[in-house]
Amino acid sequence: CDDALHRIYNLPVLTEKKNSFEVYTSSQWFISSRDFAEYMAKAESNSLVAQFMEYAEHVVVADEQFFGSLLLNSKFCDTLHNSNFLHVQFDRWESSLEDYARDKKKCLMPDPNRCGRSPTIMTMDYLFVLEMSGALFARKFDDNIDLKVKNVIDRRRSLDQQYYHQEVAEGRIPQKREVGLEFEGHGTLIVAKESVNTTDPEGPLCLGLGPKQNKLKLVPCFRKKVIRTLVPGWETGAVIEEEIRSNNQWSVGPCSSDGALNRMESGEMKATRDSITDLSPHCMIKQMNGLRKGRCIDIESERVKPGGEIQVYPCINSWHQIFAFGDGKYSPKNSLYTSVPTHIVTNIEKTGKVQATHLCLSTQGRGDFDEEEWEEDKSRKRDSSFDKSLFIPDEALVREKVITNQLPLDHWKNKQLVTTDCSNHMAVVTFLFVPFIVEESMD
């Protein structure tokens, strides 16, 4: 109805108090029971269905109100499951497309470049997002843009069905098909590899948060009393939960089922690529304890330019919260990186800016090249509240690195981490993964 002419009616607002009926907003994509479908289809002339239908005929986008409102105001109200098992992302602006590809129904303003939003088309870039959503359905797909993603989904379904039938035939109850994600869901300390044997009195550095806010930083891994007890090779074993700071404790998972993920004896994470998708596992990384328990590492919503701040944010199963483990193909080994969807890269590059397709966790001011400043960054730095010292050590030291080649990572202790193009190797931080255990009581 985007391009339709609507006659405006002065409809009374329906409320529970006045009309014993409340209007609700709901998705037009839903699954109905047979009983509720018959209740609507076989309604008599003076029934609740018929009366509300007469009202809804004069409502714009009635399909996003009619079914949900009818369900919740009928005898079927206690049968609602408030999820339609559908994965959809309304984050594609129609004006970001070339003129020939735009849906003209979404561009009705006098300015043709002011358009509405449409669902993002699902491509191979979103394969791991689709799997980790747990949804039964998804939209939109477009074979002219990416046919492979549906073929891969069909292939996975076929493998799952084969596994299910084999388990049943052998008298076992089918479980989630294991794909070698040995590290998924385990609590871990994520240690900056370069700092493992540091001489800094505060000890090695880990991914963590400061005492305030959500910003991701390199912070001391352990409580102070533990530093003197560390022995060479400590990173190859496990640490006791009580010895590490709560804001440094992470869980890895859920993960996509591409390939396999294994922690090696060295503490390095080995990612094996899937033979069908050529992808390795992509995982959420969540805070396990502290005030921000359950939040995911996020490259600051969809601000995807290199140099963007990294934070923890409520988990929403979006690409900018899902990370892969560097295997040398797209990013250095032992790094953590996220892949920017192709259509986002294309839209940014249309503005004349350069956008990396793979962004790694990194320090600022330590790399082989300086990140390009965008206008929004320049205006932010003019803001009196901007504090450069949150990101980089003393500027004189950073300038001196031209002579000393590279400053030790210790200088970025308690500094906020940012994203960078994964080819900026000197800035990219590499990590080891050290599981933590809970010490058994002697009682």
Side-chain angles (χ1 to χ4, degrees):
C1 60
D2 292 311
D3 60 346
L5 178 65
H6 303 286
R7 178 174 294 173
I8 298 175
Y9 288 83
N10 186 18
L11 290 173
V13 178
L14 300 181
T15 65
E16 177 69 30
K17 185 175 182 179
K18 292 182 179 180
N19 312 95
S20 298
F21 191 97
E22 196 77 43
V23 177
Y24 296 89
T25 300
S26 57
S27 174
Q28 75 273 50
W29 298 87
F30 66 100
I31 303 169
S32 174
S33 68
R34 184 177 185 87
D35 289 342
F36 183 59
E38 289 183 348
Y39 169 76
M40 293 185 289
K42 298 179 179 180
E44 297 180 358
S45 58
N46 199 35
S47 65
L48 176 65
V49 178
Q51 292 180 51
F52 186 47
M53 186 177 294
E54 183 178 345
Y55 178 91
E57 286 177 350
H58 306 293
V59 175
V60 177
V61 200
D63 58 343
E64 294 186 2
Q65 301 178 35
F66 181 79
F67 300 104
S69 297
L70 197 58
L71 178 72
L72 290 173
N73 286 279
S74 71
K75 63 182 181 180
F76 296 95
C77 62
D78 60 351
T79 67
L80 171 68
H81 178 76
N82 200 21
S83 171
N84 55 6
F85 306 102
L86 173 70
H87 179 80
V88 61
Q89 298 173 207
F90 268 96
D91 55 6
R92 189 196 75 182
W93 291 94
E94 207 69 25
S95 52
S96 68
L97 303 176
E98 297 291 348
D99 186 64
Y100 70 87
R102 294 178 186 177
D103 183 349
K104 302 303 180 184
K105 298 177 182 179
K106 300 287 185 181
C107 304
L108 302 177
M109 302 295 287
D111 181 353
N113 291 317
R114 295 188 63 186
C115 303
R117 291 192 299 177
S118 296
T120 295
I121 294 173
M122 296 292 100
T123 62
M124 284 295 293
D125 292 329
Y126 290 97
L127 184 65
F128 49 86
V129 175
L130 288 170
E131 179 183 1
M132 292 166 64
S133 72
L136 299 177
F137 309 96
R139 60 186 291 255
K140 292 183 172 179
F141 293 89
D142 188 331
D143 291 351
N144 294 320
I145 293 177
D146 191 334
L147 177 60
K148 183 179 178 180
V149 63
K150 292 200 296 186
N151 292 336
V152 169
I153 291 171
D154 287 342
R155 174 62 176 155
R156 282 182 170 176
R157 288 181 61 196
S158 176
L159 291 174
D160 287 341
Q161 289 174 347
Q162 291 176 26
Y163 164 77
Y164 176 86
H165 291 306
Q166 180 180 344
E167 292 293 286
V168 172
E170 296 178 4
R172 293 188 294 266
I173 299 175
Q175 306 294 326
K176 179 181 178 182
R177 189 165 60 92
E178 294 296 334
V179 290
L181 298 177
E182 294 182 3
F183 201 76
E184 181 177 346
H186 292 191
T188 182
L189 201 60
I190 303 178
V191 185
K193 185 177 179 181
E194 184 183 328
S195 74
V196 165
N197 296 313
T198 182
T199 57
D200 187 289
E202 290 193 81
L205 299 177
C206 285
L207 278 189
L209 306 177
K212 298 180 180 179
Q213 301 182 334
N214 299 311
K215 303 303 182 183
L216 191 69
K217 301 180 178 182
L218 288 178
V219 298
C221 299
F222 298 99
R223 302 185 188 280
K224 291 182 179 180
K225 64 181 181 180
V226 179
I227 309 302
R228 64 179 182 273
T229 68
L230 294 178
V231 296
W234 66 268
E235 73 281 2
T236 63
V239 295
I240 299 172
E241 181 181 16
E242 290 75 14
E243 296 179 341
I244 58 181
R245 306 183 187 204
S246 61
N247 286 347
N248 299 353
Q249 299 175 17
W250 303 93
S251 66
V252 177
C255 300
S256 66
S257 61
D258 304 288
L261 193 62
N262 304 95
R263 178 182 180 269
M264 312 305 288
E265 289 185 4
S266 63
E268 296 178 328
M269 193 71 73
K270 181 182 178 181
T272 304
R273 293 183 174 272
D274 186 83
S275 60
I276 299 175
T277 65
D278 193 37
L279 296 172
S280 58
H282 287 62
C283 307
M284 289 182 170
I285 303 177
K286 302 178 184 178
Q287 273 274 286
M288 289 195 70
N289 288 302
L291 294 176
R292 288 149 186 87
K293 180 179 179 180
R295 294 195 174 196
C296 287
I297 296 179
D298 189 311
I299 61 169
E300 195 157 74
S301 188
E302 295 198 8
R303 175 185 174 179
V304 297
K305 66 164 292 297
E309 301 170 23
I310 309 173
Q311 63 179 357
V312 292
Y313 193 77
C315 302
I316 56 174
N317 188 48
S318 192
W319 68 265
H320 46 83
Q321 293 185 340
I322 301 175
F323 295 85
F325 301 81
D327 62 358
K329 183 172 183 177
Y330 299 124
S331 70
K333 288 186 177 180
N334 304 310
S335 62
L336 287 170
Y337 72 94
T338 187
S339 302
V340 185
T342 304
H343 72 94
I344 294 179
V345 173
T346 301
N347 292 336
I348 290 175
E349 291 183 342
K350 286 178 184 177
T351 67
K353 300 170 182 176
V354 177
Q355 175 58 55
T357 55
H358 300 96
L359 296 175
C360 284
L361 272 60
S362 71
T363 55
Q364 191 170 58
R366 191 174 186 243
D368 301 320
F369 53 83
D370 291 327
E371 303 294 1
E372 174 191 9
E373 284 192 325
W374 291 9
E375 288 303 317
E376 53 266 39
D377 300 306
K378 293 176 183 177
S379 62
R380 182 178 177 218
K381 289 184 177 181
R382 287 193 292 268
D383 185 344
S384 60
S385 65
F386 178 78
D387 185 357
K388 185 181 292 188
S389 67
L390 296 175
F391 300 89
I392 59 177
D394 183 86
E395 288 187 81
L397 284 174
V398 176
R399 286 196 298 271
E400 191 178 335
K401 75 174 182 179
V402 176
I403 301 173
T404 60
N405 187 31
Q406 185 182 11
L407 288 174
L409 191 61
D410 293 341
H411 286 285
W412 276 263
K413 179 172 56 182
N414 295 319
K415 303 300 182 185
Q416 294 181 20
L417 292 178
V418 297
T419 57
T420 191
D421 185 328
C422 289
S423 65
N424 190 12
H425 289 185
M426 297 292 282
V428 173
V429 182
T430 56
F431 298 98
L432 301 178
F433 293 79
V434 182
F436 59 78
I437 58 176
V438 178
E439 192 172 35
E440 294 185 3
S441 174
M442 299 297 292
D443 295 337

